[in-house]
Amino acid sequence: MSRPDTKGTPWYKQRWPWLLMAPPLVAVIAGFYTLKLAIQSWDGLVSDDYYKEGLAIQQRIDRTAKAAELGLAAWVQWNDGRLTLWFDPARLKIDPPHLITVRFVHPTQSGKDQQLNLVLDQGRYWAPLALPTMGRWHVIIEDESRQWRLSGTIVVPTEREELIQPIVPKE
């Protein structure tokens, strides 16, 4: 039995060195590609000051409890680039406020958040709204004086109405 003559063949013309180098080379290329993705799509922090957010939690709970006490529950509908919002008249214990603030908060990318000030018009609030991405959005509804707060989730786009009602945590 004779061995193949490898003395005259350079290393780069043999297949074994290339087969041994392929996995580390693929790992390095994948690492650079991952780095490129991370740099291009840096989303930042949802909240920069966690301590301040922690102190504000009780205030949010109190405002949500106030909304429950007032019987506030809002129906939200978003379709064809138009936001329509109205309060459930069966639950409402006060006159609907003339002006409300509605915030759409993206769960992971704070740069896509939007805020609208809506004025009451014939029992409903409406405004043109173009959300940059489809999917799940947090909706926060507040009155002008920030006495109460409703929050919930809506999936965009949708043809149906979504009910946003106060959910007060039990102690």
Side-chain angles (χ1 to χ4, degrees), residues 111-153:
K112 294 183 178 182
D113 297 353
Q114 293 190 26
Q115 179 172 327
L116 299 168
N117 292 321
L118 304 177
V119 178
L120 185 63
D121 182 23
Q122 298 178 359
R124 293 192 178 211
Y125 305 87
W126 69 272
L129 174 66
L131 294 174
T133 57
M134 301 301 152
R136 186 174 301 272
W137 288 81
H138 297 294
V139 181
I140 300 170
I141 305 165
E142 299 175 317
D143 66 329
E144 186 179 14
S145 60
R146 297 182 64 140
Q147 296 296 315
W148 54 264
R149 176 182 191 266
L150 293 173
S151 64
T153 303

Side-chain angles (χ1 to χ4, degrees), residues 37-93:
L37 288 177
I39 291 171
Q40 287 179 344
S41 65
W42 182 74
D43 298 327
L45 295 174
V46 175
S47 176
D48 290 335
D49 191 352
Y50 295 104
Y51 180 73
K52 189 175 181 180
E53 286 289 321
L55 294 176
I57 288 174
Q58 185 61 42
Q59 182 182 10
R60 281 191 216 134
I61 292 172
D62 292 343
R63 289 177 31 212
T64 302
K66 179 72 171 177
E69 179 184 311
L70 296 174
L72 293 168
W75 290 95
V76 178
Q77 183 178 20
W78 186 90
N79 60 358
D80 297 329
R82 178 181 167 134
L83 171 71
T84 307
L85 185 143
W86 64 97
F87 289 103
D88 188 353
R91 300 179 186 189
L92 198 60
K93 296 178 184 175

